Amino acid sequence: MTALTLSTAGAATLRADAVVVGVAKGAKGPVVAPGAEAVDQAFDGKLATVLETLGASGAEGEVTKLPAPGGIKAPVVLAVGLGSAPEQDDAYDTEALRRAAGSAARALTGSKKAAFALPIEAVEDAEAIAEGALLGAYAFTAYQGKADENGARKPLAEVALLGAKPRDKAFKAAAERAIALTEEINRARDLINTPPNDLTPEAFAAIATAAGKEHGVKVQVLDEKALAKGGFGGILGVGQGSQNPPRLVKLSYTHSKGARNLALVGKGITYDSGGISLKPAGHNETMKCDMSGAAAVFAAVVAAARLGLAVNVTGWLALAENMPSGSATRPGDVLRMYSGKTVEVLNTDAEGRLVLADALTKASEENPDAIVDVATLTGAMVLALGNRTFGIMSNDDAFRTSIHEIAEEVGEASWPMPLPSDLRKGMDSPTADIANMGERMGGGLVAGLFLKEFVGEGITWAHLDIAGPAFHEGAPYGYTPKGGTGSSVRTLVKLAERTAAGDLG
């Protein structure tokens, strides 16, 4: 894991492999951002001119490396684009700083130490830069040979953050929060990227148990026998076609001053073949990521514990492998859910809502102040919002708005979505209480309406469909790597912090 230090040294005097400075798009060309004054001085005040000569414009994510002149201890200056320069007296956007730091950290793969001299006007800026650098330095190498065997280079080993006032309590706290948060996001990324032959429901539960012991989180695991005894027909129905049986994992973080209770529920399909309703060729290869919701919930609960938040947070990981076999659930089967409702399974590839339904009912029994479920639930949500934005549905408009605002604050793209009551009729079944499929159009909203049926009476609930941003198949950008992203973890942790502070009403 990349180390983070706060340094009082100057950008020109700190010994490092590189010094990172910001450059923005100005009206007349690139503009050197605050924090890089000493570096600009070493270029005789002409750093912007040199960068423009090299083709740099200051566009977001643009990275330009150049040899450092005399007077700078680091041999390399790395200029990273921040996008458009802010208006006079305005600060740089924290998400722009976060992304720039991520781009710089990725560009410095193989380096031992880099000094980040990006603009910092407030504690929030320092925290954003720290988060971006630590997330941008992430690499999943567990299944690759040693670096000296295949040429793979290790991530940037140390980030030295300049201008962050290491003796100031607020800056120290921000750095500690960034470290805890990014380590858990990267843990979620590791889980998402782990091949499904190794990350079975049982293996995931074991990892959660070990992390719980390490960080003071109580963990309870229901195996297939306990699930059968308890009547968890949804989770069992999805998992019955696999030789790797399902699990329901409960993570409980409690605080002595926690006056509010937040429940998080995560879809944990460790591999989704579609079951008997088999996915077509070309749609199976990335289905190890179908447990991203459970990974996000797991990471958020552990992060809340590490940060000592004054709130009680319970995480429910609904873990199963959806496989076709002689014992698999068939289209047309009827499952009796934990709630007692019966569900006609019209499509076994609409399995996430089945495991979530049981977990939502179970979570509702504890009557929390709010429940948030997270899932890579529908391709329809990707069609609606694209690959970088998750949808938010809720039975409470104010709660939905709060989560959207929180996501925007922490730099995660989201959009509030409706739950139109007219779509509910499409799930009427002549055989059971409800079918697991409804109208094709608005399929993401139909899935949300299905889940709503299993939330306890009077409990505030929201559903995050992270099918788009949970797994990135393209080239890395900013602090977003190829593969698992850890989408929604920052939103969930900030929600827990707001709940602890009583800011959600």
Side-chain angles (χ1 to χ4, degrees), residues 402-433:
S402 293
I403 293 177
H404 175 52
E405 291 173 348
I406 286 170
E408 186 176 58
E409 178 184 339
V410 301
E412 294 197 297
S414 70
W415 198 251
M417 303 294 283
L419 288 172
S421 57
D422 60 287
L423 292 177
R424 169 62 182 84
K425 185 172 178 56
M427 289 184 284
D428 286 349
S429 165
T431 308
D433 294 323

Side-chain angles (χ1 to χ4, degrees), residues 378-403:
T378 64
M381 196 56 58
V382 185
L383 291 173
L385 298 178
N387 290 317
R388 298 189 182 186
T389 304
F390 63 76
I392 308 170
M393 285 155 262
S394 179
N395 60 4
D396 184 299
D397 289 348
F399 190 53
R400 181 186 62 189
T401 298
S402 293
I403 293 177

Side-chain angles (χ1 to χ4, degrees), residues 22-26 29-31 57-62 80-86 92 96-97 100:
V23 57
K25 292 179 67 174
V31 178
S57 67
E60 182 180 307
E62 182 183 76
V80 62
L82 294 167
S84 298
Y92 281 86
L97 295 175

